Amino acid sequence: MLCSLALVACNDQKEASKVIEIQELINFDEVQPDTLQQISNAKDIKIIEKTFKKAREFGEVDNEIAPQYKIKLNDDEYYLWIDNTITGTIANVNSRNMFYNILATDEFKEAINYREQNK
């Protein structure tokens, strides 16, 4: 019984220490100063992870349009293109030409603290 409680406590600590980092970008290699967010809320993390897991492969695209965000999720980093529509696009930083479509729900946008940008 004590061993089971210890395992549950360790598991809870691991979940509690999980953080997703999000940074606004100027271009692929340059971050917007003072925009680093560390998301540790379990509900927000679950929403973000679920959105990324449900991503659908779009295909390979030669893209020069800078993403709005870089997201560090577990051991991977992703670029995120998002706007005021219900869809968004992600690409792994290590293969930035392979695109995946995501469903950018209001819930997802709230989880990443998305602010519509006027450009």
Side-chain angles (χ1 to χ4, degrees):
M1 176 86 165
L2 287 176
C3 290
S4 295
L5 290 175
L7 286 174
V8 169
C10 288
N11 216 15
D12 287 347
Q13 278 185 331
K14 186 177 178 184
E15 287 299 313
S17 66
K18 191 178 224 181
V19 173
I20 294 177
E21 293 183 353
I22 301 176
Q23 183 106 39
E24 291 182 31
L25 298 177
I26 295 170
N27 57 45
F28 283 98
D29 301 314
E30 190 176 0
V31 297
Q32 186 78 16
D34 303 319
T35 60
L36 178 64
Q37 296 180 64
Q38 293 189 326
I39 297 174
S40 57
N41 178 287
K43 181 182 175 196
D44 291 340
I45 289 171
K46 188 174 181 179
I47 291 166
I48 294 166
E49 288 179 334
K50 183 178 172 185
T51 300
F52 276 53
K53 283 180 185 171
K54 290 185 172 186
R56 299 282 185 236
E57 186 175 312
F58 176 77
E60 202 164 322
V61 177
D62 188 23
N63 178 33
E64 296 302 319
I65 299 171
Q68 288 96 336
Y69 298 96
K70 183 190 283 188
I71 298 179
K72 184 174 184 186
L73 178 65
N74 301 319
D75 293 329
D76 291 313
E77 288 186 311
Y78 298 90
Y79 293 120
L80 170 65
W81 292 262
I82 192 170
D83 58 21
N84 62 349
T85 64
I86 193 79
T87 59
T89 304
I90 60 172
N92 190 295
V93 169
N94 296 321
S95 57
R96 77 178 211 198
N97 290 334
M98 182 57 73
F99 282 73
Y100 298 83
N101 288 333
I102 61 167
L103 187 59
T105 62
D106 289 340
E107 190 178 47
F108 173 77
K109 289 177 181 177
E110 283 179 30
I112 67 165
N113 297 308
Y114 170 73
R115 295 183 321 270
E116 190 172 339
Q117 299 165 346
N118 299 323
K119 290 188 177 183

